[in-house]
Amino acid sequence: MIIQLNGKRHELPQNIATVADLLEAFELKNRIVIVEINKEIIPKEQYLLPCLKDGDAVELIHFVGGG
Amino acid sequence: MNMLKIADRTFQSRLLLGTGKYPSFEIQKEAVEVSESEILTFAVRRMNIFEQSQPNFLEKLDLSRYTLLPNTAGAKTAEEAVRIAKLAKSSGLCDMIKVEVIGCDKSLLPDPVETLKASELLLEEGFIVLPYTSDDVVLAKRLEQLGVHGIMPGASPIGSGKGILNPLNLQFIIEQSSVPVIIDAGIGSPKDAAYAMELGADGVLLNTAVSNANDPVKMALAMKLAIEAGRFGYEAGRIIEKNYGVASSPMTGMITS
């Protein structure tokens, strides 16, 4: 399926269906990361649900230095 | 020195430190350490997942030791600020938010209308709300009436280092406020920070003045000391200025021929 990932068109391999899969694929499992799909924040309890759909706008958000 | 109280939290340190633009992680870590800050600010951004080589200094700090104050920098509307604030809070690491809604790209001055709207919405959502504002006295009053937990007026434009340009307005804001007033943005040197504290500010939030100094670690120490000196000076109560000299030595017992 094809999603918008952090503003970029991105093709996901077939085996990625959950947020957990996505984080695993980008090696983000042990990082502080906030996940938003179509402007809805996804709670951690839902990371194992197969919620990713074709055309989703997915944002992987984190904290960076700032004032 | 009295403690800084924001909402139900108390802090020893009155220096709130930004985490942007340090030359290296080692320097940032040491500067944060030396500053003795207990509240760190940071920004909320997309992860750089397609180019992971770029380091993120913030991830290497032990964040559990600090109260985290994310900002809504990047927002130009109340709606965008609320989205960013909710993203930050969903990390489970923080419930304070620095409302920062920029209304002018050149001066980086805040949009007062959107700041007020965003503050209202975020208070309804249960955030501890600290809006970054201009030095507008009436806006500060209106924000306080909404129920914000602190007012953070800028001394001068963000990152400008121009210091305190309108001490009178800041003083008016400080005098009228029953919530903490933290002077945020524009601080250039330790004298500015000390001055802010002498005006009666409850704290100072700065970033560039430390992170872009030639020696950020030494400047972090200088700012810490300046803020402490300014605060002690304020608590001690300064003398009244006079136009002419008043001798410090006794006027009696003069040794004359």
Side-chain angles (χ1 to χ4, degrees), chain B residues 100 102-111 132 156-160 185-186:
Chain B
E100 178 176 343
I102 299 303
C104 168
D105 288 335
K106 200 166 182 183
S107 64
L108 297 182
L109 288 170
D111 183 321
Y132 159 63
S156 47
I158 295 172
S160 70

Side-chain angles (χ1 to χ4, degrees), chain B residues 77-115:
Chain B
T77 64
E79 193 190 3
E80 286 168 3
V82 169
R83 182 185 179 193
I84 295 169
K86 285 183 178 172
L87 286 166
K89 195 180 183 183
S90 74
S91 70
L93 298 172
C94 44
D95 58 0
M96 277 190 187
I97 191 75
K98 167 177 162 174
V99 178
E100 178 176 343
V101 187
I102 299 303
C104 168
D105 288 335
K106 200 166 182 183
S107 64
L108 297 182
L109 288 170
D111 183 321
V113 178
E114 296 299 317
T115 300

Side-chain angles (χ1 to χ4, degrees), chain A residues 5-10 26-28 31-36 39 41 44 59-67, chain B residues 18-20 41-47 49-50 52 56 58-59 71 83 86-88 90-91 93 98 100 207:
Chain A
L5 183 56
N6 284 10
K8 281 187 182 164
R9 188 179 179 276
H10 187 78
F26 282 95
E27 295 174 7
L28 301 173
R31 307 250 315 260
I32 296 168
V33 53
I34 302 145
V35 182
E36 193 195 62
K39 295 202 174 177
I41 295 165
K44 290 198 168 55
E59 299 283 351
L60 302 180
I61 309 288
H62 70 158
F63 299 134
V64 298
Chain B
T19 56
T41 66
F42 52 90
V44 180
R45 288 287 180 274
R46 278 177 171 162
M47 284 185 125
I49 45 174
F50 300 110
Q52 293 211 32
N56 181 3
L58 198 67
E59 281 191 4
N71 64 38
R83 182 185 179 193
K86 285 183 178 172
L87 286 166
S90 74
S91 70
L93 298 172
K98 167 177 162 174
E100 178 176 343
N207 185 344

Side-chain angles (χ1 to χ4, degrees), chain A:
Chain A
M1 79 181 98
I2 290 167
I3 61 169
Q4 283 287 320
L5 183 56
N6 284 10
K8 281 187 182 164
R9 188 179 179 276
H10 187 78
E11 185 159 1
L12 287 182
Q14 292 253 314
N15 59 340
I16 295 184
T18 70
V19 170
D21 296 338
L22 184 67
L23 296 182
E24 177 92 54
F26 282 95
E27 295 174 7
L28 301 173
K29 279 188 89 174
N30 298 316
R31 307 250 315 260
I32 296 168
V33 53
I34 302 145
V35 182
E36 193 195 62
I37 301 178
N38 303 328
K39 295 202 174 177
E40 292 279 333
I41 295 165
I42 308 300
K44 290 198 168 55
E45 306 86 74
Q46 292 179 23
Y47 281 11
L48 291 170
L49 300 179
C51 62
L52 288 170
K53 299 183 309 298
D54 198 56
D56 275 349
V58 180
E59 299 283 351
L60 302 180
I61 309 288
H62 70 158
F63 299 134
V64 298

Side-chain angles (χ1 to χ4, degrees), chain B residues 29-64:
Chain B
K29 186 167 185 266
E30 213 184 325
V32 169
E33 205 74 44
V34 161
S35 75
E36 291 181 16
S37 291
E38 292 163 276
I39 303 174
L40 299 181
T41 66
F42 52 90
V44 180
R45 288 287 180 274
R46 278 177 171 162
M47 284 185 125
N48 205 357
I49 45 174
F50 300 110
E51 250 179 273
Q52 293 211 32
S53 56
Q54 290 193 2
N56 181 3
F57 297 161
L58 198 67
E59 281 191 4
K60 295 192 192 171
L61 287 176
D62 178 8
L63 296 181
S64 65

Side-chain angles (χ1 to χ4, degrees), chain B residues 108-129:
Chain B
L108 297 182
L109 288 170
D111 183 321
V113 178
E114 296 299 317
T115 300
L116 195 77
K117 266 196 237 168
S119 296
E120 188 167 23
L121 292 168
L122 291 168
L123 285 166
E124 283 168 13
E125 296 277 345
F127 282 83
I128 294 175
V129 178

